[in-house]
Each structure stands twice: as C-alpha cells, then as structure tokens.
Amino acid sequence: IDKNCSQISVYINRKEKQMQNELRSRLHSFLASEGTTQKFIARKLGINISILSLFKNGKTDLDELDFEMLDGFLKSKNY
C-alpha cells in the first residue's frame, strides 16, 4: 500500500507541475500579445507582485488561490 501511495503522490506532483507550467506559458503568451504588464495583472487580481514575477520566471509555483485567480483571468481573456 505504501508503494501505491508513493506512486500516486509522484503522479499528483507531476500533474500539478504540468498545470503550473501550462499556466505560466499562458501568462507569457498573454503578456507578449496584449502588451500589458505583470504588475497590472497582479494588482487587478490581488496577487503579490513579487510572487507573480517569481512564478513568471519559473522560480516558484502559485498557491491554489492565486492559481485559480490567474487561471480564471486568462481564460476570461481567451488565453
């Protein structure tokens, strides 16, 4: 059972990382295409500007709340 739990945990971590990377890619596309700033997005969504910068540069992942906020924003803009 422990081995199965460990394998499930690895799968969940990979899936989470994939989702974070996909969101990061969508953010890059939005910023490049729309000419807006990450500072504008951070203020609009209430995400810490430094955290969004670190996320954009691949230095950290977003927590669940910030992830959902950014995901919803980008989806609303068709990204």
Side-chain angles (χ1 to χ4, degrees), residues 1-13:
I1 293 175
D2 287 338
K3 185 176 181 182
N4 286 342
C5 288
S6 178
Q7 289 172 335
I8 291 170
S9 179
V10 167
Y11 173 78
I12 291 170
N13 288 340

Side-chain angles (χ1 to χ4, degrees), residues 62-78:
L62 295 178
D63 65 26
E64 187 175 345
L65 180 61
D66 289 345
F67 182 97
E68 293 298 326
M69 295 283 290
L70 182 57
D71 182 53
F73 173 79
L74 292 174
K75 283 179 180 173
S76 77
K77 304 294 184 185
N78 296 314

Side-chain angles (χ1 to χ4, degrees), residues 1 19 21-22 27 31-32 35 39 45 55 57 66 71 76 78:
I1 293 175
M19 291 171 62
N21 286 336
E22 288 171 1
L27 175 61
L31 291 171
K39 186 176 182 178
L45 300 179
F55 172 73
N57 293 311
D66 289 345
D71 182 53
S76 77
N78 296 314

Side-chain angles (χ1 to χ4, degrees), residues 11-69:
Y11 173 78
I12 291 170
N13 288 340
R14 282 187 194 146
K15 188 68 176 166
E16 173 70 19
K17 195 65 170 168
Q18 179 184 0
M19 291 171 62
Q20 292 276 342
N21 286 336
E22 288 171 1
L23 184 63
R24 187 174 288 113
S25 178
R26 290 168 47 213
L27 175 61
H28 280 274
S29 295
F30 179 78
L31 291 171
S33 298
E34 302 298 324
T36 192
T37 65
Q38 64 192 35
K39 186 176 182 178
F40 170 81
I41 295 170
R43 285 188 174 159
K44 182 169 181 66
L45 300 179
I47 298 174
N48 181 289
I49 295 167
S50 297
I51 295 295
L52 189 60
S53 178
L54 289 169
F55 172 73
K56 182 185 142 224
N57 293 311
K59 303 290 185 189
T60 193
D61 290 335
L62 295 178
D63 65 26
E64 187 175 345
L65 180 61
D66 289 345
F67 182 97
E68 293 298 326
M69 295 283 290

